Structures are given as structure tokens and as C-alpha cells.
Amino acid sequence: MSKNFYATTPIYYVNDKPHIGHAYSTVLTDVLTRFHRLFGFDASFMTGVDEHGQKVQKAAAAKGVSPQAHVDEYNLHFKNLWAKLNVEYIHFIRTTDGYHKDFVRDVLQKLYDKGEIYSKEYSGWYSVGEERFFEESELVDGKDPISHRTVEWLQEKNYFFKMSKYQQTLIDYINANPSFIMPDFRKNEVLGFLKQPLNDLCISRPKSRLAWGIPLPFDEDFVTYVWVDALVNYISGVQNFKHKDGSAFWPADFHIIGKDILTTHSVYWTTILFALGWQQPKHILAHGWWLIDGSKMSKTSGTGINPMDYVDNYGVDVFRYFLIREMVVGLDATFSHDSFVRRINSDLANDLGNGLNRIHKLILSNFDGKIPAVAGGISGSSWGEQEKELEGYSAKAIEFARANIGEVKLSLVVEEVLNSVKALNRYLEATVPWKLSKGGEAEHEKLAVVLYAGAEVLRIALALLSPIMPQKCEVGRLMLGAPIIDENSLRFGVLQGGETLGKGEALFPRIVEKTEE
Ligand code: MSP
């Protein structure tokens, strides 16, 4: 099996500043990539911004600046947020970059030369909000069915990609590759959509109506439809990149997207790839939406909470933790102040933070700040049933992560890790090391076993959570004096005894509400 991994995020419209939806798509992709790296993959992902099209042109016009000036300013909001959220991408693409524009034009010329694109006079209902035509039958109360805005009747010449030609090829491909579109219910949704005859795709906009786009190479009076321009980024951005073993980045392992852009990815993009004779991405994964206090997010929803404030108020890592723990990938999730506080306090402050502080303090005061060695090691006679059971929890978490990363079951991975930490806290209640520390030689030996076991469980938990909370887990690792986190560190018994603990830190302070003070 190839140990290379390349994932993509959607590229974001720069018509407005980023919000939790954008943050989630990118953090999820970053975490998935880091997990693959932890399991020994040469893993990276790409992100970027979608700078052409009507939305952006309108946003610029509303501010009275040129589209170029607007995108030069707004792409930075995204770049800065990614730096703040500690996401590590290999490349940040802007669709106004010269190499991307050239690539898009090459792709279109190729399709044109192959006879995959034709022009015709077209009339239909056009929605400025969605930047596309709708069939009469698709309209809801005479408005566009997605953004519910008014549509206008337009008649114009345009260029079309022969998408309909690939309908059966696509259906067959999806059926033959059951994990191509994830989760399963989204795959079924796409197959349902494909039961209706597929139209050809309008891939141009007359310059007279929209100037802000990439001119078609075979007719400079038109610019490229923004979605075609955008989808091609997944290849143009990494065209010259190679994995360490020399292989190309394309095909991507994962396109991570939100559920609202599933059709553009699983129907438009895939059929374009068929027409080009290029490989399909391995998986398209659609995640759900974040709702705020249960309602759809909008500036006017009036809930008064902005999830992005939580990054500044509580820290990047716990914010990332909440996003990954709280959303079952594929389903919607709710962001609320109470659920945030509850999650951080119970999982991180009570379970993980407490366990870590206990073990750190007890080793500091009883073993001179050095990891105690277990006589006979973890296969010796002092390693009893309780210890084996505890070790089993860590082993289970490692195996579960290894087996489920490919299916992006990240919230469940976290749950398994937390189970091992909870088991540790129960073990500490049962073995009462704070009492053992007051006993004689036999108790001291038992204490060594208990604290060693505790340090190992925590070391592994921190390693498995490090893709989600890279900074905090690194501090925790240093606290335990443990070797660097890598694939080899994912087994019980890595600590040898004698490692010097780092300085103690309150890694996950409890969030204290004003009313509790
Ligand atoms: N520019 C296109 C994508 C082109 S990809 C070739 C676009 N941009 S977007 O900025 O509008 O949205 C980008 C992503 O943010 C989408 O995946 C979308 O699902 C996600 N989200 C926007 N709001 C969201 C939530 N409230 N919750 C979760 N994600 C949502 O579409």
C-alpha cells in the first residue's frame, strides 16, 4: 500500500471574512493529514482561495475597489487565520495566480480540441446569487432553490461541456468504488441525483456580464465559469510537486468538502476528469454544517456568539479539539457556549489534565522527577492483571486510530483515547498511589509500576491527540520526558525508566464561568 497522502480543502470565496465553516473544513483536513503523518505517511494538503466570479466582483464593487485590490486584501484574512489555527499546508493557491490561470486555459483547450466543448445560444433562469442557470422545474416559488433569491431570464451564447455524455460512466464508477463518495448516505444522494438525465454544463460567462474571470483560450469574449476555474486548482496547485518517493501528488486521496458543494465535486469535477482521461480523486468526503445554538449560521441569526472568538478566548488547541470531538464527520453539529465549556472541562481539564498532573506530581515527589523503571519490565511479574487491562485500553486506542483514520472517524478515535485516560483515572483511584507513597519498600515498588503505567497511558494518549492539539501535546510530552512522537512511539513500553520529567504545567485549565467564581 502506498504510504503517500495528499488531501485538499475547498478553496474559499474571498467575498467575506472566514467563519467557523471555513475553519472546520481546513482544521479537519489538517488533522486528517497529521494523523496520516503520525502513521508514517508522507502526507500533506493544499488549501487556498477562490478569487474569481460574480460574488467576488460584487463584493469588490460594494467596497468601491477593483476586484484585484479586493482579493489581494481578503486572501490574507484566510492566510492569517490558518497561521493562527496552526494548520500546516504545503501550498496556498490563489486562483488569480498566473500558473493556475495558464493551467485552466490549457485544460479548456484540451477539452475543446477533444470535441468536449461546444457553443450554443442558450436561454434560461439565471441566479446571480448562485452564479448559474436553473431549469424552470428547479425553481421554488419562482426563486432559485438554493439561495432563494430572484432569478432573471437571460438569453446568450455560451460554451458547454458535454457532461451528459459521462452520466453512465459516473454512475458505474460510483457503484464500482463504494467509498468514492463518503459518507455512504451522501453517495446515495448523488446516485439519486443521477437518476435524472444530466444536462451539459455551461462553462463560460460572457465578458459583457462578468469580466472577473479567466478568459477562454478559444474565445476571449468569454471568461471561465468560476466552478470550473476553481475545481482545477486541485491539480494546478500541485502540478510540480512530488512525494518523497518521486511520485506525483495527483490523484488526491481526499477532497474534503462541505455537503453544500457535493454536486460540483462529485458530478462536475468527476465528469471533467473523465473527459480529460485523468484519474479520479480517491475519496470525496462531505462533512455537515455547523449550526450555532441549533440554528443555521447567518450574520442576522442574533445568537450573539461568534465561534471564532473562542480561539482567542480559550486557545487554538482546545478550539481544534472541540471541532474534531463534537462533529461526527458527515453530520451537522451545534456550536454553543455550554457544549464548548462542558466538553473542554470534562474531557480535557478533568480527564486528561488531571491524569497528567497527578502522574507528574507523584513522579516528581517520589522518584526525583525521573520516570520509574518497572522491575522485569512490562512482561515481568510485577506487571499484573490491572496493568495489563490498562495497557489494553491504550493498545485498543492505537489500533482503532490506525484502522479508522482512512474512514475519517475522528470523533470516535478521540473517544477511544479518552476511554484509555478514563481507565487510567479509575486505575489510580483503585491503586491509590498517594497512599502507596507513604508505605515501605514493597509499596514503593508498586508505586513505580503504577506511575510507570500512568506515564505510558498518558504518553500514548498525547501522541494520538497530537494531530488535533499539536502544541499542547508537545508540552505534555516534554512534561513526561518522553521521546518524540512518531509512528514508533505508538506502542506500550517505549519509556525505559530514568527519563527526566519536564516542568509541570497546568495544560488544560478548567474554564471557570463567572457564576461559578
Ligand atoms: N469557493 C467554493 C468552493 C470551491 S472548491 C473547488 C465555496 N466556497 S465557500 O467559501 O463558500 O465555502 C467553502 C466551504 O465552507 C464549503 O465546504 C462549505 O461547506 C463550508 N461551510 C460554509 N459554511 C459552513 C458551515 N456553517 N458549517 C460547515 N461548513 C460550512 O463554496
Side-chain angles (χ1 to χ4, degrees):
M1 191 184 101
S2 146
K3 276 271 197 174
N4 291 327
F5 181 85
Y6 163 53
T8 66
T9 76
I11 52 170
Y12 305 101
Y13 286 129
V14 286
N15 57 331
D16 210 342
K17 293 186 183 163
H19 56 62
I20 186 178
H22 308 123
Y24 179 71
S25 283
T26 301
V27 167
L28 174 62
T29 313
D30 182 56
V31 169
L32 185 64
T33 303
R34 287 178 188 262
F35 262 116
H36 278 83
R37 208 171 293 145
L38 177 61
F39 284 108
F41 285 73
D42 177 19
S44 17
F45 80 94
M46 189 178 73
T47 189
V49 281
D50 194 353
E51 298 193 323
H52 290 126
Q54 201 124 7
K55 280 187 191 176
V56 173
Q57 183 174 280
K58 264 175 79 178
K63 291 201 313 174
V65 300
S66 71
Q68 190 63 52
H70 174 81
V71 299
D72 285 346
E73 180 189 341
Y74 269 66
N75 83 87
L76 297 175
H77 291 300
F78 288 85
K79 256 193 187 150
N80 294 342
L81 179 61
W82 305 148
K84 184 163 160 182
L85 289 179
N86 194 19
V87 302
E88 276 180 7
Y89 47 79
I90 190 161
H91 184 57
F92 183 96
I93 191 169
R94 298 180 58 189
T95 51
T96 53
D97 288 336
Y99 69 84
H100 171 75
K101 292 197 265 192
D102 291 345
F103 196 91
V104 169
R105 282 163 66 89
D106 283 352
V107 161
L108 290 170
Q109 189 66 51
K110 232 178 223 127
L111 291 171
Y112 190 74
D113 294 343
K114 283 181 142 192
E116 299 285 349
I117 289 174
Y118 63 93
S119 70
K120 72 167 183 194
E121 280 289 329
Y122 182 83
S123 51
W125 294 107
Y126 186 79
S127 159
V128 176
E130 290 304 308
E131 295 179 42
R132 53 166 280 206
F133 285 96
F134 286 96
E135 297 287 312
E136 177 99 35
S137 59
E138 290 178 280
L139 301 181
V140 176
D141 297 331
K143 298 194 169 164
D144 107 38
I146 299 173
S147 53
H148 310 295
R149 279 185 263 192
T150 47
V151 288
E152 47 191 311
W153 185 258
L154 281 184
Q155 172 153 23
E156 61 191 24
K157 174 187 159 187
N158 265 311
Y159 285 87
F160 290 80
F161 160 58
K162 294 181 181 167
M163 186 160 77
S164 58
K165 192 173 140 187
Y166 295 98
Q167 177 156 10
Q168 194 55 45
T169 313
L170 177 56
I171 294 171
D172 294 344
Y173 190 86
I174 296 172
N175 283 325
N177 296 278
S179 65
F180 180 47
I181 298 170
M182 297 162 70
D184 237 33
F185 70 96
R186 295 283 175 215
K187 171 184 81 179
N188 296 332
E189 204 176 290
V190 174
L191 285 172
F193 174 81
L194 288 170
K195 288 207 169 103
Q196 304 298 324
L198 206 54
N199 294 318
D200 286 343
L201 180 67
C202 178
I203 54 122
S204 64
R205 297 293 180 263
K207 262 193 188 158
S208 52
R209 178 149 65 77
L210 176 70
W212 185 236
I214 303 175
L216 296 185
F218 42 81
D219 189 340
E220 302 274 335
D221 289 339
F222 291 82
V223 298
T224 311
Y225 172 40
V226 68
W227 266 103
V228 174
D229 168 352
L231 289 162
V232 168
N233 97 85
Y234 296 137
I235 300 181
S236 72
V238 291
Q239 54 186 304
N240 299 319
F241 287 43
K242 292 269 184 286
H243 284 290
K244 288 184 189 124
D245 65 6
S247 57
F249 269 45
W250 191 260
D253 290 271
F254 271 94
H255 285 329
I256 304 288
I257 58 169
K259 62 180 181 181
D260 53 317
I261 55 176
L262 181 59
T263 308
T264 49
H265 282 78
S266 57
V267 181
Y268 298 5
W269 180 222
T270 50
T271 51
I272 290 172
L273 289 168
F274 283 133
L276 287 164
W278 292 355
Q279 281 178 282
Q280 297 293 334
K282 290 183 198 147
H283 307 283
I284 297 173
L285 176 103
H287 64 69
W289 275 56
W290 279 96
L291 308 172
I292 297 191
D293 278 339
S295 60
K296 211 172 160 186
M297 205 171 39
S298 86
K299 283 189 188 136
T300 51
S301 72
T303 57
I305 98 166
N306 178 0
M308 301 317 292
D309 292 343
Y310 284 67
V311 183
D312 293 323
N313 294 348
Y314 303 102
V316 178
D317 276 7
V318 300
F319 179 77
R320 289 171 56 111
Y321 179 83
F322 180 77
L323 294 187
I324 297 300
R325 177 66 189 88
E326 199 70 12
M327 185 173 255
V328 175
V329 174
L331 306 181
D332 291 348
T334 290
F335 194 105
S336 76
H337 180 73
D338 287 351
S339 59
F340 187 90
V341 172
R342 216 176 311 125
R343 187 57 84 189
I344 300 309
N345 280 351
S346 86
D347 291 5
L348 298 182
N350 289 358
D351 291 341
L352 184 57
N354 245 344
L356 189 61
N357 287 340
R358 277 170 159 179
I359 296 292
H360 188 266
K361 274 200 188 112
L362 285 164
I363 297 180
L364 213 58
S365 52
N366 293 287
F367 293 90
D368 255 355
K370 293 203 174 5
I371 298 284
V374 173
I378 59 169
S379 45
S381 60
S382 52
W383 199 250
E385 284 312 309
Q386 279 175 305
E387 287 74 32
K388 283 185 190 142
E389 193 189 330
L390 192 57
E391 184 184 340
Y393 278 98
S394 292
K396 186 166 174 232
I398 295 168
E399 274 329 298
F400 189 88
R402 201 189 297 282
N404 288 282
I405 286 312
E407 292 183 42
V408 201
K409 293 189 175 155
L410 301 183
S411 57
L412 295 180
V413 170
V414 177
E415 212 167 286
E416 285 298 333
V417 176
L418 260 287
N419 278 344
S420 73
V421 176
K422 286 195 179 97
L424 168 62
N425 283 324
R426 284 197 305 272
Y427 169 79
L428 296 180
E429 298 300 330
T431 53
V432 270
W434 38 94
K435 279 200 186 139
L436 291 173
S437 69
K438 298 192 180 88
E441 203 173 309
E443 280 80 9
H444 193 70
E445 236 171 69
K446 175 70 189 175
L447 183 61
V449 171
V450 171
L451 298 183
Y452 178 86
E456 274 296 76
V457 170
L458 291 165
R459 183 186 63 72
I460 290 168
L462 290 166
L464 288 174
L465 294 176
S466 67
I468 304 170
M469 301 187 286
Q471 293 165 346
K472 292 272 182 195
C473 292
E474 180 60 10
V475 176
R477 171 186 84 82
L478 294 171
M479 258 173 89
L480 292 172
I484 56 156
I485 297 170
D486 62 10
E487 199 185 6
N488 289 329
S489 70
L490 295 178
R491 64 189 167 83
F492 219 89
V494 164
L495 290 170
Q496 299 296 306
E499 292 88 348
T500 307
L501 297 191
K503 201 167 123 284
E505 308 249 0
L507 207 51
F508 300 108
R510 204 184 148 73
I511 300 176
V512 181
E513 299 285 41
K514 286 220 168 63
T515 48
E516 289 180 49
E517 270 168 0

